Amino acid sequence: MSKPKLVMVGNGMAGVRTLEELFKIAPEMYDVTVFGAEPHPNYNRILLSPVLAGEMKVQDIILNDHDWYRENHVNLHLGKKVAKIDRVKRQVIAEDGTVESYDRLLLATGSNPFMLPVPGNHLPGVIGYRDIADTDAMIDAAKRHKHAVVIGGGLLGLEAANGLKLRGMDVTVVHLGPWLLERQLDEVAGKMLQKSLEDRGLNFLLEKQTEALIEGESGRVAAVRFKDGMQIPAELVVMAAGIRPNTALAESSGIYCNRGIVVNDTLQTYDPKIYAVGECVAHRGIAYGLVAPLFEQAKVCANHLANYGIGRYTGSVTSTKLKVTGIDLFSAGDYMGGAGTEEIVLNDPAGGVYKKLVIKENKLVGGVLYGDTADGPWYFQLLKDGKDIHEIRDHLLFGQSTVGDVGHQGQNKAAAMSDEAEVCGCNGVKKGTIVRAIKEKGLFTLDDVKKHTKAASSCGSCAGLCEQILASTLGGAYQATASDKKPMCGCTEHSHEDVRRAIRERELTSIKAVTEFMEWTTPDGCEKCRPALNYYLISTWPHLAADDPQSRFINERAHANIQKDGTYSVVPQILGGVTSVEQLRKIADVAEKYHVPTIKVTGGQRIDLLGVKKDDLPKMWADLGMPSGHAYGKSIRTVKTCVGAEHCRFGTQRSMDMGIKLEKMLFGMWSPHKVKLAVSGCPRNCAESGIKDVGVIGVDSGYEIYVAGNGGIKTEVAQFLVKVESDEAVMEYTGAFLQLYREEGWYLERTCHYVHRVGLEHVKSKVVEDAENRKALYARLLDSLKGVKDPWAERVEGELKREFEMLAVQPA
Amino acid sequence: MSDWKKICTLADIPRLGARVVQNAGGDIAVFRTAADEVFALHDKCPHKGGPLSQGIVHGKRVTCPLHGMNIALDSGDAVAPDVGHCDKFAVKVDGGDVYLKI
């Protein structure tokens, strides 16, 4: 049976991105034909400015080379402009007479530069700024002529002016508005930008209206005349006064257009066989001219072309960044402010820094950064997440580093880093390597960067930094996704939040039920989503959902920690770090019997036996006769204690006892990530309660409970939750907090990240202020831990032991 | 000379899991997919030698437990953009028994 035919008109970034998304989810579905009016394969149009400025070459900005089209069996017509769509016969006809039939048609015709309707706008030497041919024309003009005029002081105009100046021309930018980039900047930032561009030798004429372009003796343009009578020489005039959706083909075929080809939230036009994406589209009345929203459209459109029927495009908040080397400028959202908004401003004209954040009802709604844009992506993320910022308001303007979310080595200014600087300390990836991969391989997401460079793919502490590098390298093409909308993994569109909700509300109790109900694109998920799903199921439906060992990482399947050489480590439970002669003797005997090469005291006050072969594990566990210490799981780990009032002359509370009670209560508790506790007997805090998921500090009148501390990847000081008087209250509050985290946390999110996301206020409202809810949480925790067995004892004999047994070739 | 040798029954290998066959030339990992297809690879990741048998199996791939490289079970090749290759062995299921050619 022959496949349905998909024809795409337009071979630009939005269209080809749609194909890429389509090939990812339904590679074999269509016979695909593409018409491109330009003679080039798909290239990165937003990098034309660096090409003009001489910083890159045309071949560097090709995104999909000819091989890509061949490998994906795309029938490619380059240099052929489509003249007509016959919607009755379902055919497209190119100017050269080429005819192709379609079952589905995708219009991605992009936009055209707006040519001012003034006399002389057709003269040689008058061009728009849109494609490789325009760029070549400018480079050529710069070799032979002296005076250039750029009409339009927007992003594109300024980038063109900068490039022409670098190529040796005298450049004047003519702008109708009162300041530059008035669609992206407020007046203060606009004036600062103008000053620094003037320092580079550019000239500006603001509030000038062009009246005519004057023809010279050669027939080429020679001058620009304004309404006020002023005239300046120009052998090159670049029109950068905006773009218009290219709807000529759609309109002539009777497809409804209104300042763009009108589409619904599935990117479908008024003809159901015809879809449209990109700059040619008007979605809810808006035609986007930046690449990031177009990629969002591409993803949704591909989903519908693949008949998945899910995903809606609901519009985009955009951010912009000017690609003029040496000038840092960032703006997003509602940067002008106005009624009902508040502004926080930092203005240092001498230092060349200006920052303005616009806040409405405790949420960031827009901002402009000039001179120091390192925090642009972070602000943009806050804006998209709609995060309540009142807790961090007092240092919001000073950036992410002041709110404790810094990357590796405290490095958080991606743009300021040299190419040689190491970004990922785990895998030794330098900034230059990441930037090169982004440019050469056409990467657009953090996930792409992780896959191609391995940066941020181990501990993840440099993910924020990688995201910044991505943002500063891509400029306007960078698109932050709201965190609660980020897909779990490549198998699904759904976020962790969506999946947790569906499991709860739809009462899904198996991985199969989740992946079927939520339309996973892979048959049985991947190494990223399966462990998450397994955790969500067993934590939401304890005693109901069955644990799936094959969906657990090896450490949790083998109940031991895998080491670099494939051996394992054994850490028996030593409650509260308090041991005995009997325990120590058993551990020593076992270590001797199995020739354990390394014995190490752990940070969690236990003893680690390292270098154990997998098939020895059950035998060792049997000989030890001690329960598992869970030193390997996304689970309760240890409760660290100091000696406390039992011995210490300063101790106010019996911290060892309290720690042992907590550790016993939490035995066998699975959680989104590992959970570590500590109990100190006095504020000297020898058990380091200040950097634990739950830290308890004894004081004379009772206990203080701190939560969401972290001593690992990102050192975070725990935050004060509540002060209580009795041991029972410590158990209840601790249990309730951990249960809240177990129910709301996303897989692999430590408590510090979880509380950072939901806010301490939220935690307090559920655990401290609402006694009934606290008791209910505590009861659910105890219920889910009811009947928990020691995993080691369960695996010493019987069915579960099979995991540890090797196979041998059987005699014939 | 290599020959078909019986190693276990299909039921001995968990679905979406693996077992390890001891072998003089290096351990061999025998995988079973959700669709009951069986594949065998040298139990050594081309990246840093991790035991692939201990990884999570999904589709026709396994993810190495050490650093997360994905290996295609049917070819032994690392999944792009990673590069690498792992030796594969012929394996077949006959009457519920699994045979390996070694």
Side-chain angles (χ1 to χ4, degrees):
Chain A
M1 208 184 85
S2 70
K3 290 189 234 173
K5 292 184 170 56
L6 173 67
V7 173
M8 180 165 95
V9 180
N11 188 27
M13 294 176 76
V16 174
R17 181 63 165 220
T18 310
L19 293 184
E20 285 181 330
E21 296 283 355
L22 176 66
F23 294 154
K24 251 195 261 173
I25 52 178
E28 304 292 334
M29 188 157 165
Y30 291 101
D31 278 330
V32 179
T33 299
V34 173
F35 284 91
E38 289 185 70
H40 310 280
N42 179 37
Y43 61 89
N44 193 339
R45 207 178 287 284
I46 51 179
L47 293 180
L48 284 174
S49 291
V51 172
L52 178 64
E55 291 160 2
M56 291 179 86
K57 296 199 162 19
V58 168
Q59 64 265 29
D60 299 333
I61 67 169
I62 300 291
L63 285 174
N64 304 78
D65 56 15
H66 287 278
D67 287 343
W68 180 86
Y69 293 88
R70 248 192 312 278
E71 280 159 18
N72 288 290
H73 312 291
V74 173
N75 176 18
L76 182 61
H77 295 292
L78 283 185
K80 291 186 190 176
K81 200 171 168 197
V82 171
K84 196 173 162 229
I85 303 169
D86 184 332
R87 289 163 57 205
V88 178
K89 289 188 190 154
R90 279 194 261 132
Q91 286 179 334
V92 295
I93 301 121
E95 278 174 350
D96 71 342
T98 309
V99 177
E100 293 279 358
S101 319
Y102 66 83
D103 296 291
R104 292 257 179 106
L105 179 63
L106 177 60
L107 296 177
T109 46
S111 63
N112 292 324
F114 174 62
M115 302 303 273
L116 286 185
V118 292
N121 71 1
H122 60 281
L123 291 172
V126 180
I127 60 169
Y129 183 21
R130 170 75 193 161
D131 54 25
I132 289 179
D134 296 332
T135 311
D136 285 343
M138 282 192 259
I139 294 171
D140 184 55
K143 285 184 196 143
R144 294 188 281 120
H145 301 285
K146 187 72 193 150
H147 302 100
V149 169
V150 176
I151 299 179
L155 284 172
L156 204 60
L158 295 181
E159 289 179 9
N162 179 60
L164 291 169
K165 177 73 201 167
L166 288 174
R167 288 193 180 265
M169 295 190 84
D170 278 345
V171 184
T172 302
V173 176
V174 177
H175 191 55
L176 194 57
W179 66 84
L180 299 176
L181 291 180
E182 83 273 13
R183 287 179 59 192
Q184 284 86 19
L185 297 183
D186 64 1
E187 184 165 4
V188 181
K191 295 286 182 205
M192 286 175 91
L193 172 65
Q194 182 177 341
K195 166 95 180 41
S196 65
L197 290 171
E198 279 168 351
D199 290 346
R200 292 165 165 238
L202 291 177
N203 305 307
F204 291 93
L205 293 172
L206 297 184
E207 298 181 83
K208 281 276 184 203
Q209 213 172 343
T210 306
E211 187 178 69
L213 307 180
I214 314 296
E215 187 175 344
E217 282 171 16
S218 64
R220 189 184 173 91
V221 67
V224 177
R225 190 173 72 229
F226 303 106
K227 282 249 161 80
D228 60 9
M230 184 181 171
Q231 187 165 320
I232 57 170
E235 297 92 44
L236 175 70
V237 175
V238 180
M239 297 269 196
I243 54 171
R244 294 289 176 271
N246 183 4
T247 57
L249 177 68
E251 277 181 275
S252 70
S253 317
I255 298 166
Y256 178 60
C257 298
N258 181 11
R259 292 184 196 155
I261 303 170
V262 177
V263 294
N264 62 19
D265 287 357
T266 69
L267 286 312
Q268 199 173 34
T269 68
Y270 273 69
D271 180 334
K273 298 271 180 219
I274 302 179
Y275 286 75
V277 290
E279 292 182 335
C280 60
V281 155
H283 171 265
R284 298 191 184 179
I286 299 175
Y288 292 94
L290 294 164
V291 74
L294 312 185
F295 284 177
E296 291 184 17
Q297 293 178 356
K299 196 159 195 167
V300 174
C301 185
N303 252 310
H304 289 276
L305 287 173
N307 289 338
Y308 275 48
I310 49 166
R312 283 170 66 213
Y313 177 70
T314 54
S316 303
V317 187
T318 56
S319 70
T320 49
K321 193 169 175 300
L322 183 69
K323 288 184 302 302
V324 171
T325 304
I327 293 186
D328 282 327
L329 184 68
F330 180 92
S331 82
D334 172 14
Y335 55 89
M336 288 301 283
T341 65
E342 301 143 27
E343 290 172 13
I344 307 179
V345 177
L346 182 153
N347 190 1
D348 176 8
V353 175
Y354 172 74
K355 300 181 181 185
K356 174 163 103 177
L357 300 176
V358 182
I359 291 162
K360 192 172 182 180
E361 289 161 5
N362 279 326
K363 285 179 182 144
L364 189 64
V365 294
V368 180
L369 306 177
Y370 183 85
D372 174 8
T373 58
D375 286 302
W378 181 61
Y379 290 129
F380 193 41
Q381 187 78 53
L382 288 176
L383 192 154
K384 291 202 78 164
D385 285 356
K387 206 175 148 76
D388 190 318
I389 49 94
H390 90 271
E391 281 179 35
I392 54 171
R393 183 175 174 131
D394 53 346
H395 28 236
L396 184 64
L397 190 66
F398 304 107
Q400 190 172 20
S401 60
T402 59
V403 293
D405 199 12
V406 297
H408 184 60
Q409 287 185 340
Q411 182 56 267
N412 69 329
K413 300 240 182 291
M417 290 171 77
S418 78
D419 279 358
E420 284 305 301
E422 190 172 75
V423 173
C424 175
C426 294
N427 296 310
V429 188
K430 294 184 175 140
K431 181 192 167 191
T433 312
I434 299 175
V435 171
R436 213 164 35 247
I438 293 170
K439 286 183 176 163
E440 287 172 6
K441 298 193 169 134
L443 312 182
F444 288 100
T445 67
L446 180 62
D447 234 32
D448 292 344
V449 171
K450 284 185 188 171
K451 274 191 200 138
H452 281 86
T453 68
K454 302 287 173 257
S457 65
S458 295
C459 83
S461 69
C462 60
L465 197 53
C466 289
E467 192 108 42
Q468 280 189 25
I469 293 171
L470 195 62
S472 65
T473 309
L474 289 176
Y478 170 76
Q479 184 72 328
T481 323
S483 330
D484 60 352
K485 299 263 158 46
K486 276 186 186 153
M488 266 177 86
C489 65
C491 303
T492 179
E493 289 293 307
H494 297 293
S495 64
H496 285 272
E497 193 71 20
D498 296 340
V499 171
R500 288 217 81 158
R501 194 180 316 114
I503 289 174
R504 199 168 53 239
E505 291 174 1
R506 300 276 165 173
E507 301 185 19
L508 307 173
T509 57
S510 72
I511 291 180
K512 195 99 210 125
V514 179
T515 56
E516 275 174 14
F517 177 75
M518 303 199 81
E519 298 182 313
W520 245 240
T521 58
T522 48
D524 35 52
C526 69
E527 81 282 7
K528 292 193 179 72
C529 59
R530 284 234 309 278
L533 292 177
N534 189 59
Y535 168 71
Y536 292 154
L537 289 162
I538 59 170
S539 58
T540 311
W541 303 110
H543 311 301
L544 259 177
D547 189 14
D548 175 22
Q550 299 314 134
S551 294
R552 283 189 179 268
F553 183 65
I554 181 60
N555 291 357
E556 296 184 358
R557 202 177 338 133
H559 291 271
N561 238 324
I562 195 166
Q563 307 295 319
K564 63 188 282 188
D565 59 357
T567 64
Y568 290 81
S569 71
V570 170
V571 181
Q573 182 189 58
I574 297 181
L575 290 167
V578 183
T579 185
S580 65
V581 170
E582 192 202 4
Q583 280 187 344
L584 291 173
R585 189 166 282 138
K586 272 200 282 192
I587 293 170
D589 286 345
V590 165
E592 193 172 51
K593 178 172 173 187
Y594 294 92
H595 309 286
V596 168
T598 306
I599 305 172
K600 164 93 177 69
V601 175
T602 73
Q605 303 185 332
R606 299 185 287 188
I607 295 172
D608 194 351
L609 306 176
L610 289 136
V612 179
K613 292 204 295 288
K614 192 178 180 191
D615 49 347
D616 278 342
L617 289 171
K619 288 177 260 175
M620 270 180 78
W621 296 337
D623 288 348
L624 269 173
M626 292 169 73
S628 162
H630 284 99
Y632 42 77
K634 311 300 175 211
S635 64
I636 176 69
R637 294 288 181 92
T638 61
V639 182
K640 188 171 180 172
T641 66
C642 70
V643 292
E646 289 96 323
H647 294 279
C648 178
R649 65 200 163 101
F650 300 118
T652 60
Q653 296 290 345
R654 295 177 64 87
S655 49
M656 293 190 289
D657 278 357
M658 186 70 250
I660 291 169
K661 278 189 206 171
L662 284 169
E663 194 168 339
K664 277 185 180 163
M665 170 177 89
L666 298 171
F667 181 74
M669 180 190 80
W670 298 108
S671 36
H673 207 309
K674 57 187 173 184
V675 169
K676 298 178 175 184
L677 279 68
V679 183
S680 293
C682 81
R684 285 170 192 74
N685 209 353
C686 295
E688 298 165 348
S689 299
I691 49 164
K692 297 294 182 225
D693 296 285
V694 178
V696 180
I697 300 178
V699 289
D700 200 54
S701 53
Y703 297 96
E704 292 172 356
I705 300 179
Y706 293 79
V707 296
N710 194 332
I713 284 167
K714 188 175 119 188
T715 313
E716 281 258 323
V717 175
Q719 305 180 64
F720 177 73
L721 181 73
V722 68
K723 158 102 191 287
V724 297
E725 284 174 8
S726 67
D727 287 16
E728 290 65 39
V730 170
M731 316 263 283
E732 182 173 311
Y733 279 85
T734 300
F737 168 70
L738 289 175
Q739 181 63 13
L740 188 71
Y741 164 60
R742 294 180 74 233
E743 291 176 6
E744 297 184 345
W746 298 340
Y747 195 65
L748 297 187
E749 193 176 47
R750 288 292 298 267
T751 55
C752 69
H753 301 118
Y754 161 71
V755 172
H756 192 72
R757 172 166 65 82
V758 301
L760 188 64
E761 296 295 320
H762 168 78
V763 173
K764 282 186 172 166
S765 74
K766 300 276 183 186
V767 174
V768 181
E769 288 145 25
D770 185 343
E772 206 174 308
N773 193 54
R774 174 176 67 249
K775 287 185 193 314
L777 282 165
Y778 184 47
R780 288 205 290 280
L781 175 74
L782 296 183
D783 174 68
S784 71
L785 293 173
K786 211 186 289 163
V788 166
K789 293 196 187 74
D790 171 31
W792 286 1
E794 286 184 303
R795 284 160 179 78
V796 166
E797 274 311 324
E799 176 71 6
L800 291 173
K801 196 182 167 199
R802 195 175 66 173
E803 165 79 35
F804 304 89
E805 291 166 343
M806 307 267 278
L807 297 173
V809 171
Q810 296 171 12
Chain B
M1 216 197 83
S2 62
D3 218 344
W4 289 109
K5 307 229 171 63
K6 186 180 162 190
I7 48 165
C8 61
T9 67
L10 184 62
D12 287 333
I13 312 173
R15 277 211 177 105
L16 294 173
R19 297 297 297 270
V20 187
V21 181
Q22 276 176 312
N23 176 45
D27 289 349
I28 298 168
V30 183
F31 302 91
R32 177 179 174 190
T33 67
D36 286 346
E37 289 169 290
V38 175
F39 299 96
L41 296 176
H42 189 186
D43 194 14
K44 205 172 170 185
C45 178
H47 176 224
K48 293 203 169 166
L52 296 172
S53 55
Q54 310 300 303
I56 290 180
V57 179
H58 46 100
K60 286 190 197 177
R61 291 175 181 177
V62 64
T63 304
C64 177
L66 293 195
H67 305 99
M69 189 182 263
N70 276 305
I71 307 288
L73 296 176
D74 48 4
S75 65
D77 291 333
V79 176
D82 286 328
V83 182
H85 177 77
C86 186
D87 288 339
K88 54 176 186 166
F89 296 84
V91 65
K92 68 175 180 184
V93 182
D94 191 358
D97 289 326
V98 181
Y99 295 84
L100 189 63
K101 200 168 190 180
I102 40 176

